[in-house]
Every structure is written in structure tokens, then in C-alpha cells.
Amino acid sequence: MQPVSREFKIHSSKALLDEKLSAALARTQDGFGGQRAAAVEALPEFQKIRERALRIKNHTLEHLDYYLEKFEREVQAAGGHVHWARTPEEGRKIILDLCEQAEARTVIKGKSMVSEEMALNPALEASDIEVVETDLGEYIIQLAKEPPSHIIAPAIHKTREQITELFSENHAQYGLTEPVTEVADIVHEARTVLREKFINADVGITGANFLVAESGSTVLVTNEGNGDLSSTLPKMHIITAGLEKVVPTFDDLSTMLRLLARSATGQEFSVYTSVFTGPKRNTDQDGPEELHIVLLDNGRTEMLGNEFREMLRCIRCGSCLNHCPVYGSVGGHAYGWVYSGPMGSVLTPLMVGLGEAADLPNACTLNGRCEEVCPMSIPLPRMLRALRVRQFEEKLVGSRVRASLGAWTWLATKPRLYQAVTGLGMKMLARLGRKNGSIRSLPLAGGWTQARDLPAPEGETFMQAWARQNRNRGARQ
Amino acid sequence: MKAVDKPASTENPSPSVGLFVTCLVDLFRPNVGFAALDLLEQAGARVDVPQAQVCCGQPAFNTGDEKGTKAIAQGVIAAFEHFDYVVAPSGSCAGMIREHYPVLFAQDPKWSGRAEAVADKTWELISFLNDVMGVDDISASLDGNYTYHDSCSGLRELGISHQPRNLLSAVRGLSCSEMKDSNVCCGFGGTFCVKYPDISERMVNDKIRNAVDSGADYLLGGDMGCLMNIAGKLSRDKVDLQVYHVAEVLADRTDVSPIAGRTPEQRTRSEDS
């Protein structure tokens, strides 16, 4: 999708007024947050697993070239193909060419955030290929023509009433006459229509949660089993993944899997964990005839070499979104691109450009809850601050902010002058607030007083009072 | 200024403490500074307040201005390095000195050692009293229920959570009623709250709803930034929940009006009119 992160302020303000969205976000955060806490509580060795995962991923990133080449060799040995895409454009082209080769008219998809990075669906549709998302959440937002608002729960912002309406609008063509209101009925309706699509599709495209170097396998976790159908029914299976998803061995994989579902939804394990190694073999009953893996860089190798390397540890569990009070206030769409919440605020500027997403690193209170719950211990606040340093150095910070910050810093390095100036200022402010103990509005403080009163100062500053008392003390002695 | 080679051991019953007042306490709430002085002296410390102090540098740091941050940080280091301990009535400012100064100067051979030395002996007030000075005797009283807001930097950078609750349990007449999500950010975030006022407002609304639902009479915390944000919103919404810094309660300095609140006389006057 085209990034619209520049409009973060507009979209976040709108989101704050959307009561249905607020209710949905509160439910999501309470639900996922509470379930994660219970899952972590129930596993005393969680911290140990976390430390082990950290070592595995650091080691892998240290030797990423080796493990990726190993992965490629093993994929080839199993009869599959690996394609390297430096940019989203390259990724799109590779996949379009493969679809053309397969004479594809219908493509079914499992949820893949990397395909969102590539803006793949519009490109396929422009080539007259019907694209059907098969993850229920993704299917719902496809009907609504919206991007995902959460990396693991893409339709979290939709209420059941809205979903009922979407099905009524879009499924009349398949013979739906009555509104579907119950969850079971919604699922049944989607299954009925999707089953036909599964059977008739020419190509299946899925993402991958992990790549296992030792065997050339890709691993996909889902709760709906749609990934299995997307990958085994069509003649061609295309897997999209970021190139940081590799782990050395199955043993390492099991460590990661123990963290992933617990951190994401609080499940011990996702319902389906599917491992794909090569295309259908002669002895297999089913499976795709061709298997292609498209590995996307899109800024990742650059991150490998700078202060954002640790971001490549991310396993896309969504825990940072589920615990971020800013995400919980504005939801995923406000962030304006594929990824949202804390991880999105780091990735988006690095992938689409800092100038395109200048608000994202700043729209954060640096409260640190994301880092606390991150299964991969990614120092997200430190990275958001590092992006702010870049912004400041690249003069992407507005001249008014720079000027006032500069003046303040200048004053703050001259304590005597600072104390004289602030002493006067506080005396005046105290006078303004002496009636109510607080000040309702103040020139140049609109950002503060828009939402809240300014507590009135006592009048005398601490440093003045301290100096006076010391003088008195000295005079008495 | 003479440098102290080795930091005081915890066995030293009367270590020298430099009080880092913090800019918000200095300007808006000197009562917290004097409460800190009282508490530190009662605990046996020899306290001084260096005149050459302003701010820890967070506004510059969080805006990405490393050069400005360093200039301010060097002033702090020079003003405080001769004390056995540096103590601040704020988890956020203490966290800045303790966690971020060493990283800031890591590549600077001239300053890295000094930054680390100051970082190692810097403490947030309440955890210093509880963990270092072993304070258990609190002679303060306040009638009612309090709910405690865990400020983010103190909680996550310095592990401050049980210390204030422990010391507050010794205040006569005071009982605790925890709120939901006490460890979730109040929406202050330094410049965040003026850059994104409407998101900040949503967050402080959530905080206030949880605090009010707890049924508490007082909302207490250890960081002026959060407390001014919460108290300012309570004042705007005319919600009757009194906000104090933990130090004010522990030092029995609650005879002043609560933050952003009116004194008892002001209340009576407005009720009469």
C-alpha cells in the first residue's frame, strides 16, 4: 500500500472520535494483554526461553549471509526455488511473472504482511487476476477495501454489525439473502464461498513466520487452517517472507514457537503450525507442483549494518501493539502503512523514508511497555529515540521547535541566569493561578491547555526559597 | 570541587547526598523538594543542594538533540560528582542520569568515566530511602485511601514499584486501593503531551477513569510530569481527586493545596459564594 503516514495527525484525531473503534481497541488490548500475561505466568521458564531466543536470533543475524545461502541450497535440494527481491517492486515483478507463467486467473492468499509491503494485491488485480484473501480477518478487510489495522488481527477495528453489513453487500452475488449476524454463521458463510475459491485457484500465496536453514523449510502458523489449503490445493505455491525470518535449525524454531503464540494471543501454540519443504514429491498425495520462495529485503540488509539491527529480531507477534497506549488510543490505520504500533513506528520510517513518516517516532511517550513485553527484547524506545536523533540531524525537525529548544538549552546551561528568569516567570504564573490553583489557558501553551489545566506554581521557586533560607540560616548563626 | 574516589558504602550511616531538585519541582512544586530534604535528613543523610543545577536534559534528549543534551548533562555531572549519592524526587530524571548518561558519553573518553561514576550513585528518592537507607520509620499521617500511579521511567528503568507502596503503608490513617492498569502511561511523555494533545488526552482520561474507579481519595505518584498532567486534567474536568507527590505524603507536608487543586480555604470560599 502507498504510505499515508504523513497524515498521522489527521488520521489519529479522526480515530479518537470513532467510538466503535475505541471500544474495539479497548477489548483487544484487555483481551490479548490479559491472555499474554496469563500465558507467561503459566510458564515459569518464559524468561529463560526469551534469553535463548535472543541468543539464537543474534547469532543468526551475525551470520545471516551464511544461513540464507544455506537455506537457499536446501530449498533447491528439495526441489523449490528461491527468488531475491531487493525492493517491493522487484518482489511484485517476480510474483507477477510467476503468476503469468502459471497462467493464473485466481490467486488465493494466506495472510502475509510482506505481500502488503509489496502492495501485491492491487498489482495482481491490475493484471486481471482475481485475488482472494483466505484468512477470515483479511477476507473481511478485503471486502471493506481497507488495509489491515493489526499485524495478527487485521480486522480488529471492525464491529460485528459492520461485518454483517459487508457480507450482505458482497455475498448477494453468491446467493446470500439473509443478514449473517452470529459469529458461527459469519464463519460458515465465509467458508462456503472460500471453499469454491480454494478448489479453483491456480496459485496460492502465503507468508512465512520462520525459515529453517538446515532443511530449507518454511513454517507458517495460523488459527484457521487457511494456510494449509492455500498452499496445498493450487498447482503453484508462492511464499513471501522478509529475509530476516531465517533460523538455523528446527531446535531453534521450537524455541521461537514457544514464544510466538504466547506473546501474540496468549495461546500456548497456534492451532496450525505448518511446515513446507519443497513441492509435492512423487510419494505425496497432494501439494503444489511448484514451490517458490520470494525473500524481500526492502531496507533489511541496511538495518543489519546500523543501529537498527535489533529490529530484525522481530517475530511479528503484535505484543507491542497490544500493550502500547498510543496504539490502543488510535488503532493501526492512523500509522498509515503496513505496520503499526511501536514496531511499525520503527519499521515504517526505515522502509518508506523518515520524511514520509516523521510523526511516527515522535508519537510515543517512551514509556517502555513495548520493550517489556517484546519476546525478542527489542529496545523499541531506544530505536524510536535514535530515529528522533536522525530527524534532528537531518533537520527534519521544524525550525520553530529547533529555535525554542536551542534557546532553552542555552538557558539551561547557565544556572544563574536560568534561575533569575524562571523565578520571575513563576511569580507571574502563580498570580494567574492563585484563585483556582490552576490555569485554564495560557499563550504559547495551547498544546498543554487544550486538554488540561496548568497546575499553578507555588510562586517562589525551590532554588529561590533554598537561597533565602540559607541566607536566613547564615544570618542567625 | 574535590572528587571522591570511591562511592560511599551502604554501611555509611550519614552519606553526603546531592539533591537534584528537578526542573518541575523547582518551578512548580518546591514543597516536594523540601519534603525530599526532610526525608533525606531524617534518614541520616547530609544533604546539599548545588546551586548550579537546572535540568537533566530530557527535553533535548527526547527531541533527538544529542549535542544540547550533552552540554546539559556535563553541567549536571560536574555539579554532582563530589557527592556520595545523587538523589532526585523523580524516576524519570534519575533514570536519565543513571541509564542514559553513560550511553550518551560512551564514545567520549573524557566524559565516559565521569558519566558512569555519577550514574552509579544516582537514585530516585523513594527507592533510595527504601533500598539504600533502609527507612522504615515514617512519622506522617493522612486520612483516606490512596491509589498509586506507577510512572513509566521509574517503573521500567529503575524497578520502582514496591518501594513507595511499602513506605506509604507506614503512614497513619492511609490505606491503599490499587487502580486497574496502574502501570500504564498517563499520556504525559514530556513533549509528547503538547505535540499530540488529543492522544495524550485520551490516555490521561483512561488513567483518570481507572483512578476514580478505585475509589481513592488521593492519587499519588513519584514524578511531577505525570502528576501535573493527571492533576491538570482532573482540574479541567472538576473531578475531586487530590494529587500529591509521594514525598509530600511521607514527609507529612500535605497541609498545602494538592497539585492543581485549591487550598481548603479556597474551597470553603467558593462553596460559600
Side-chain angles (χ1 to χ4, degrees), chain A residues 350-371:
Chain A
L350 294 173
M351 289 182 170
V352 309
L354 196 47
E356 285 292 324
D359 271 313
L360 301 194
N362 294 291
C364 161
T365 61
L366 300 174
N367 63 75
R369 212 166 167 227
C370 48
E371 181 176 0

Side-chain angles (χ1 to χ4, degrees), chain A residues 13 16 359 388 434 452-453, chain B residues 196 198 229 235-236 266:
Chain A
S13 296
L16 286 165
D359 271 313
R388 296 182 191 183
R434 69 171 177 262
R452 37 187 131 45
D453 295 346
Chain B
Y196 303 96
D198 47 0
N229 177 41
S235 161
R236 173 66 51 94
Q266 283 172 330

Side-chain angles (χ1 to χ4, degrees), chain B residues 9-155:
Chain B
S9 76
T10 45
E11 282 102 58
N12 181 351
S14 58
S16 73
V17 167
L19 179 64
F20 186 69
V21 180
T22 77
C23 59
L24 291 177
V25 167
D26 173 36
L27 303 183
F28 284 89
R29 196 75 176 171
N31 193 47
V32 174
F34 287 107
L37 268 175
D38 290 353
L39 290 167
L40 288 166
E41 282 177 352
Q42 283 160 21
R46 291 171 290 123
V47 191
D48 194 15
V49 185
Q51 192 74 31
Q53 60 170 303
V54 170
C55 162
C56 65
Q58 276 190 89
F61 187 55
N62 292 337
T63 312
D65 177 8
E66 289 205 325
K67 201 168 145 239
T69 313
K70 283 180 185 167
I72 293 169
Q74 286 166 353
V76 175
I77 293 167
F80 283 90
E81 60 193 339
H82 63 287
F83 292 101
D84 294 338
Y85 292 103
V86 184
V87 175
S90 156
S92 165
C93 309
M96 175 71 190
I97 300 173
R98 211 180 151 104
E99 297 295 308
H100 299 296
Y101 277 15
V103 182
L104 201 59
F105 291 106
Q107 309 300 325
D108 184 340
K110 205 174 136 212
W111 283 90
S112 68
R114 294 172 73 182
E116 267 173 39
V118 169
D120 284 348
K121 56 188 176 185
T122 297
W123 288 79
E124 180 275 341
L125 172 69
I126 309 299
S127 57
F128 180 75
L129 295 171
N130 192 81
D131 300 345
V132 179
M133 300 304 284
V135 168
D136 50 13
D137 179 29
I138 296 291
S139 58
S141 59
L142 187 66
D143 283 330
N145 276 321
Y146 79 92
T147 198
Y148 179 78
H149 166 63
D150 290 280
S151 289
C152 300
S153 304
L155 175 68

Side-chain angles (χ1 to χ4, degrees), chain A residues 388-400:
Chain A
R388 296 182 191 183
V389 171
R390 275 197 186 184
Q391 284 179 322
F392 196 83
E393 284 169 358
E394 291 171 20
K395 301 223 165 27
L396 289 168
V397 175
S399 55
R400 236 180 64 195

Side-chain angles (χ1 to χ4, degrees), chain A residues 57-111:
Chain A
K57 206 68 195 177
N58 281 347
H59 166 84
T60 313
L61 292 172
E62 200 68 45
H63 306 283
L64 190 61
D65 53 344
Y66 170 80
Y67 286 113
L68 283 173
E69 282 171 5
K70 168 90 177 148
F71 175 74
E72 183 180 34
R73 281 198 304 277
E74 296 302 326
V75 170
Q76 287 163 349
H81 306 271
V82 174
H83 307 263
W84 302 92
R86 263 171 305 196
T87 61
E89 295 75 41
E90 281 186 21
R92 278 202 301 268
K93 177 149 189 340
I94 291 165
I95 293 171
L96 281 171
D97 289 348
L98 288 169
C99 287
E100 195 180 320
Q101 218 176 289
E103 293 175 358
R105 295 177 58 196
T106 306
V107 166
I108 47 171
K109 278 186 71 202
K111 194 169 77 62

Side-chain angles (χ1 to χ4, degrees), chain A residues 218-263:
Chain A
T218 68
V219 180
L220 181 64
V221 302
T222 72
N223 279 326
E224 297 169 20
N226 62 310
D228 286 3
L229 289 177
S230 302
S231 57
T232 46
L233 290 179
K235 291 189 302 267
M236 182 187 281
H237 180 199
I238 301 174
I239 294 159
T240 53
L243 52 74
E244 83 285 11
K245 293 262 163 157
V246 70
V247 292
T249 65
F250 270 94
D251 201 32
D252 299 328
L253 171 71
S254 74
T255 301
M256 298 294 166
L257 288 173
R258 296 186 79 190
L259 292 177
L260 178 59
R262 286 183 169 90
S263 301

